Amino acid sequence: MIPRPLWFLAGAGVGVYAVTKARQLAETFTVDGLRDRASAVAVGARLFAEEVSAGQAEKEVELRERFGLPLQPQHAALGAPRPRTSVAPGATLPPVATPAIHPTQQQENDL
């Protein structure tokens, strides 16, 4: 049989844990707690957007090198923000120049 002091210590430990969790939960729903959570979400969204932008710039440089397209000065640095372009409704985009394929590359692609 378990002695009474051990039960007392176990009950005290559970009580301390419950009070600590209750305080944390109560602090979460205060004005300051909600403001902290909202700012944390905003920081996380901004970091995610920066990672996506950096990945886009890196992939663009990689594709330009792969297809032999010239690097544009404003895009040469990784992580540089890309200019936003908009197309008017009904407008057509200019045709995209495709790089010439060397005959040996064509043979590799046919395999």
Side-chain angles (χ1 to χ4, degrees):
M1 184 149 204
I2 300 177
R4 286 184 183 200
L6 186 61
W7 282 113
F8 176 77
L9 290 175
V14 168
V16 168
Y17 178 79
V19 168
T20 303
K21 286 296 178 183
R23 281 187 185 162
Q24 288 175 351
L25 184 64
E27 194 276 330
T28 300
F29 292 109
T30 63
V31 174
D32 290 335
L34 292 174
R35 187 180 308 127
D36 289 343
R37 288 193 183 266
S39 65
V41 167
V43 167
R46 185 184 48 132
L47 290 174
F48 178 73
E50 288 174 1
E51 287 290 324
V52 168
S53 176
Q56 279 181 318
E58 188 175 310
K59 191 65 174 180
E60 181 178 359
V61 169
E62 178 186 322
L63 289 172
R64 285 183 177 276
E65 289 173 353
R66 180 177 177 188
F67 292 115
L69 299 173
L71 291 176
Q72 297 175 354
Q74 66 268 26
H75 296 154
L78 287 178
R82 295 177 51 191
R84 298 194 184 268
T85 58
S86 60
V87 178
T92 58
L93 294 175
V96 176
T98 56
I101 297 178
H102 193 271
T104 57
Q105 290 176 334
Q106 182 64 36
Q107 292 170 358
E108 290 174 4
N109 290 339
D110 291 340
L111 295 178

